[in-house]
Amino acid sequence: MNTTIKYAGIILAAGSGSRMHSDIPKQYIEINGKPLIYYTLETFEHSVVDEIVLVVRPGDEEYVQREIVDKYGFSKVSSIVCGGNTRTDSVLNGIRASKAEFVLIHDGARCLVSENLIERMAEAVLETSCIAAVPSKDTVKIVKDGLVVETPKRENLYIVQTPQAFNRNSLLKAYAELDKLSDEKRRSLTDDAMIMENARKPVQIVAGEYSNIKVTTPEDLDFVKNIKKY
Ligand code: CTP
Ligand code: MG
């Protein structure tokens, strides 16, 4: 088959979820009878993306295929690939598994993402790289050794979320620039926009959603349980 794929959702689920302090990785924790990652996949399945690449922990591929992708019939999942030690490595494995023109990289742990946000990202990436973000409601301080050293202007502060959307070739080129960085600097990259910033490429903000939280600690699970009660 020679169909061109415009948009791929790269869903990251290869983390260990250490801050959740759970016996199983947080992406598999059941919320109202279904694993957390189910809700993320369900929204992407119904969204404008043409395919979904699911990035999982090495060794989890078969389990995820059988117990999640086949069981719930997620027909847009075109491949399940294994992630790496860092989020950045997982992203790279995911984008290499796709031939799409544009990639929408998304934290599997953000299971409350909406189809509308995915659609707005897909629209905006036609112009330039973009990230979902919301204005910080709180004042943020720079602190060193327990002492406040600076208070950045709140109007300049945004809380960054995913999806983060890029032209796949441009992102791969930006990834190549990481080879010049020290290991320490590489490890400090916490999102995909930083890879474009490092390559001095523009990244635009798209209005995110305050509900689009990254499930990280146990109280986040209660929040999701209440919203997904239907
Ligand atoms: N992730 C990944 N590969 C990694 C690390 C993280 O695919 N090597 C994914 C996680 O599965 C998650 C998303 O990236 O969906 C955001 O990461 P985070 O919330 O930090 O998840 P974990 O790394 O699993 O959690 P923790 O940092 O608490 O260990
Ligand atoms: Mg992490």
Side-chain angles (χ1 to χ4, degrees), residues 47-221:
S47 78
V48 295
V49 304
D50 304 297
E51 70 169 4
I52 297 169
V53 173
L54 187 50
V55 186
V56 302
R57 299 184 318 160
D60 282 1
E61 297 93 327
E62 264 182 46
Y63 167 79
V64 168
Q65 179 75 53
R66 192 180 63 241
E67 294 300 323
I68 296 169
V69 176
D70 294 347
K71 181 167 171 183
Y72 298 108
F74 290 124
S75 60
K76 286 191 182 173
V77 175
S78 55
S79 46
I80 299 176
V81 297
C82 80
N85 285 335
T86 65
R87 185 183 178 284
T88 310
D89 297 330
S90 294
V91 170
L92 193 53
N93 290 357
I95 55 182
R96 279 181 176 149
S98 173
K99 290 202 163 37
E101 189 177 356
F102 300 102
V103 287
L104 276 69
I105 298 162
H106 186 66
D107 294 327
R110 289 185 195 270
C111 57
L112 297 178
V113 63
S114 72
E115 279 171 52
N116 177 269
L117 177 55
I118 297 169
E119 194 178 330
R120 288 185 290 112
M121 299 302 302
E123 183 76 20
V125 75
L126 299 174
E127 295 284 320
T128 179
S129 304
C130 55
I131 59 179
V134 289
S136 176
K137 292 182 186 177
D138 298 316
T139 297
V140 175
K141 304 277 186 199
I142 312 270
V143 177
K144 269 203 190 106
D145 301 325
L147 283 178
V148 171
V149 285
E150 209 186 321
T151 307
K153 270 201 172 137
R154 199 176 58 200
E155 68 243 42
N156 295 335
L157 295 175
Y158 281 76
I159 309 294
V160 168
Q161 309 179 335
T162 66
Q164 302 199 349
F166 309 91
N167 172 287
R168 191 176 57 91
N169 283 332
S170 310
L171 185 59
L172 282 169
K173 270 192 208 138
Y175 258 95
E177 302 244 340
L178 297 188
D179 295 342
K180 298 175 196 155
L181 299 183
S182 66
D183 276 1
E184 197 193 344
K185 184 87 209 294
R186 257 187 87 108
R187 272 196 301 275
S188 73
L189 301 169
T190 47
D191 79 341
D192 311 297
M194 288 175 85
I195 290 156
M196 290 307 237
E197 290 157 41
N198 177 65
R200 296 161 306 282
K201 300 286 181 210
V203 178
Q204 169 194 327
I205 294 282
V206 168
E209 297 164 337
Y210 285 102
S211 55
N212 181 22
I213 62 161
K214 181 156 68 82
V215 174
T216 307
T217 54
E219 62 270 20
D220 296 333
L221 284 176

